[in-house]
Amino acid sequence: MRTFATGVCVATTYRDTSGGRRHDAVTVNSLGSISLDPPLVSLSFRKESAFLADLLETGRWVVSILPADARDVARRFAGPRASRVSEIAFLRAKPGERTGALVLDGASWLECALAEKFDLGDHTLVVGEVLATGHDRHAPALVFVHGGYHAITDPRHVSGPGQWGEAL
Ligand SMILES: Cc1cc2nc3c(=O)[nH]c(=O)nc-3n(C[C@H](O)[C@H](O)[C@H](O)COP(=O)(O)O)c2cc1C
């Protein structure tokens, strides 16, 4: 699978606790496009994932598809929860109108509600009905392959220093 190039996303969900709403965000590349009518997409998580536990509890999440200049964001949310929690406060994002989960600035995004869940091997596949979508701008895509991040630049799209501060 290292040779299979994928896009890179940050999935977000949250858990409501007595201390308030605790958001979480994690880097994922298992986004699958399942169905157009109804609109369904999937993600796959390790069964023990702390993020997955919150997602199943709320039944709501957002997938933000990252542009190339957000590779630093991808790195910051690819670790264990303890490291992600300290990064959430610096994430440029706002709650999605349909789910309340964070939508990242500058990304294309899908707001999802849990439709199905399948335990498969050591992972759980969650299928979400897409409640809302959007995109901020046309931007070079961020791609993950051979364990590294790459930018795919479409000459039809405007490029230049992105809002994440990284020159393309
Ligand atoms: C490019 C990339 C893609 C990833 N995709 C997934 C994924 O689809 N599913 C997953 O469970 N973890 C994925 N990970 C690992 C997560 O970012 C994270 O380390 C893990 O989910 C943390 O588990 P936790 O929820 O128990 O804290 C990916 C990491 C990278 C760098």
Side-chain angles (χ1 to χ4, degrees):
M1 295 306 291
R2 285 175 61 82
T3 66
F4 182 60
T6 67
V8 184
C9 308
V10 166
T12 52
T13 190
Y14 55 86
R15 183 181 285 261
D16 287 326
T17 71
S18 53
R21 182 162 289 188
R22 177 175 51 70
H23 288 276
D24 195 6
V26 70
T27 300
V28 290
N29 67 346
S30 57
L31 178 66
S33 176
I34 304 283
S35 162
L36 189 58
D37 185 18
L40 300 172
V41 295
S42 65
L43 287 175
S44 176
F45 293 98
R46 277 186 319 111
K47 272 187 183 150
E48 303 77 26
S49 162
F51 181 92
L52 174 66
D54 287 357
L55 181 155
L56 293 175
E57 177 73 22
T58 63
R60 298 282 185 276
W61 70 94
V62 167
V63 183
S64 294
I65 302 168
L66 299 184
D69 56 350
R71 69 182 73 189
D72 187 49
V73 176
R75 289 194 185 101
R76 297 207 313 264
F77 290 96
R81 171 168 276 171
S83 70
R84 303 194 306 261
V85 162
S86 56
E87 297 288 347
I88 279 275
F90 303 104
L91 193 58
R92 291 165 63 167
K94 51 190 166 314
E97 288 181 12
R98 299 293 302 277
T99 58
L102 296 174
V103 175
L104 273 62
D105 292 353
S108 301
W109 48 269
L110 306 158
E111 288 195 82
C112 300
L114 185 64
E116 298 271 6
K117 154 188 175 301
F118 304 95
D119 288 331
L120 300 165
D122 58 3
H123 275 57
T124 296
L125 185 82
V126 291
V127 176
E129 179 174 359
V130 179
L131 305 177
T133 67
H135 65 95
D136 244 19
R137 63 197 171 122
H138 290 293
L142 184 60
V143 168
F144 190 75
V145 67
H146 290 297
Y149 296 100
H150 304 270
I152 301 285
T153 307
D154 184 332
R156 291 171 301 176
H157 295 162
V158 179
S159 64
Q163 66 160 339
W164 300 97
E166 191 175 336
L168 297 172

